[in-house]
Amino acid sequence: MFGNCIDDVFSNANIVASQLDEWFLANKLSVNIDKTCYSVFCSNRTCDDVNNVVKCNDNVLAKVHSCKYLGVMIDEQLSWKTHIDYVYSKLLKFTGIFYKLRSKLCSNVLKKIYYAVVHPLLIYGIEIYANTTKNHISRLVVLNNKILRILQYKPLNYNVNKLYNNYDTLAIPELHKLQLLCFVHKYFYKNHQLPTSFMEYFSLNTEIHGYFTRSSNNLHLTRVNTSYGLKCLKYKVSQLWNALPTDLKRTANACTFKRKLKNYLIHCAN
């Protein structure tokens, strides 16, 4: 629910909650109140919602500062710090295990363990959670560096880029770019596979103005005036796509594009 003021938001939320309750009753279902909650997202850090509640079947729902949804921790400030802390705590548990394993298993097996245990945790939802401040993401980057150093039996002064090159992977900021750019590639070449809301998400410069320039086939960059605008998906992804080499952008096959893009990002990082 959204609205111009907090009272309107809660009023609309209660109407929808009542409709949902009626639908559940009609279909002989019930809502687990203990597992149902809500958060308030607002532009100001403090919202005066102390006198408002959301009810379902006359039960007051709990207001939470963060909630896990499809494996991603969503916090009310949308800073993604809660999710980063969640991933960090899960990965931290493996460091001691990896110290013991590295002397008992060969390098190929250790690499497979990294891709089986660590990489899936990092890559899941990275398009969202990595779009945060360096201050929030840095501790996860440092931990990932540490894990790679442990598994590869390398000293503290070993070059970080070589750690990633040895495992044919990317640091978290580059993985973030990789996933975002693969999304744009799908927009151009596999548009029918995207959710309906993204099928007409981007615009080319040729669609905005009629005259020909060197950037006519680039994605149109909307003007932004805030730090939030700079992190907006449409703006950030458009910048990244426009900066790619032309031959890379013209690669239609998804697997080939991802392989070339990965090599390109590795080259840029080095």
Side-chain angles (χ1 to χ4, degrees):
M1 296 296 102
F2 63 92
N4 294 324
C5 69
I6 196 69
D7 291 334
D8 289 345
V9 173
F10 273 92
S11 176
N12 293 333
N14 278 295
I15 292 171
V16 172
S18 177
Q19 292 172 341
L20 284 172
D21 185 50
E22 291 176 5
W23 185 91
F24 279 116
L25 288 173
N27 289 275
K28 297 182 179 180
L29 299 171
S30 61
V31 180
N32 189 330
I33 299 298
D34 293 334
K35 293 183 178 181
T36 307
C37 57
Y38 72 93
S39 293
V40 178
F41 305 94
C42 57
S43 56
N44 299 323
R45 288 195 174 272
T46 57
C47 290
D48 186 15
D49 61 342
V50 292
N51 296 321
N52 292 291
V53 295
V54 177
K55 290 185 178 182
C56 184
N57 192 21
D58 292 328
N59 293 297
V60 177
L61 301 183
K63 181 190 174 186
V64 296
H65 297 296
S66 64
C67 179
K68 188 176 183 181
Y69 181 71
L70 297 177
V72 177
M73 300 295 294
I74 304 174
D75 62 276
E76 62 184 359
Q77 297 297 331
L78 296 179
S79 67
W80 307 111
K81 184 180 182 301
T82 306
H83 182 75
I84 291 169
D85 291 342
Y86 168 72
V87 177
Y88 182 92
S89 64
K90 295 196 76 171
L91 291 180
L92 190 62
K93 298 175 183 177
F94 293 116
T95 54
I97 299 173
F98 292 157
Y99 269 119
K100 296 176 181 178
L101 287 178
R102 69 178 185 177
S103 61
K104 302 180 185 299
L105 301 174
C106 66
S107 58
N108 287 336
V109 174
L110 291 173
K111 182 177 179 179
K112 289 178 180 179
I113 289 174
Y114 176 83
Y115 275 97
V117 176
V118 178
H119 192 261
L121 285 172
L122 293 176
I123 204 72
Y124 185 74
I126 197 170
E127 300 94 333
I128 300 172
Y129 81 77
N131 192 31
T132 185
T133 63
K134 289 183 179 180
N135 184 46
H136 289 331
I137 201 70
S138 60
R139 65 197 302 258
L140 194 57
V141 173
V142 171
L143 179 60
N144 192 33
N145 293 347
K146 181 179 180 179
I147 290 172
L148 288 171
R149 194 175 289 112
I150 293 169
L151 291 173
Q152 296 178 37
Y153 230 123
K154 300 300 181 184
L156 286 173
N157 59 354
Y158 190 79
N159 186 279
V160 173
N161 289 331
K162 289 183 179 180
L163 289 173
Y164 289 96
N165 293 342
N166 292 342
Y167 269 28
D168 191 30
T169 188
L170 298 164
I172 292 172
E174 279 64 48
L175 282 175
H176 174 59
K177 295 176 184 177
L178 178 72
Q179 294 301 106
L180 290 179
L181 288 167
C182 285
F183 165 72
V184 185
H185 183 270
K186 182 177 284 189
Y187 174 84
F188 281 110
Y189 297 102
K190 299 285 184 179
N191 189 273
H192 63 281
Q193 295 181 0
L194 292 174
T196 307
S197 57
F198 287 110
M199 286 183 175
E200 297 180 3
Y201 193 66
F202 299 104
S203 300
L204 295 175
N205 283 332
T206 51
E207 300 170 8
I208 305 301
H209 55 73
Y211 50 88
F212 179 79
T213 64
R214 285 180 296 179
S215 60
S216 293
N217 292 320
N218 283 348
L219 292 175
H220 180 68
L221 283 171
T222 54
R223 181 176 295 179
V224 296
N225 300 314
T226 64
S227 58
Y228 289 104
L230 292 173
K231 291 180 181 179
C232 174
L233 177 66
K234 184 177 291 188
Y235 182 84
K236 187 173 185 177
V237 172
S238 298
Q239 268 196 325
L240 291 172
W241 180 263
N242 292 345
L244 290 179
T246 303
D247 62 327
L248 183 54
K249 289 189 283 189
R250 290 176 178 172
T251 305
N253 182 270
C255 293
T256 305
F257 172 78
K258 189 171 184 178
R259 176 174 50 81
K260 288 184 176 180
L261 175 61
K262 190 174 183 180
N263 292 332
Y264 171 79
L265 292 172
I266 289 173
H267 174 74
C268 292
N270 293 334

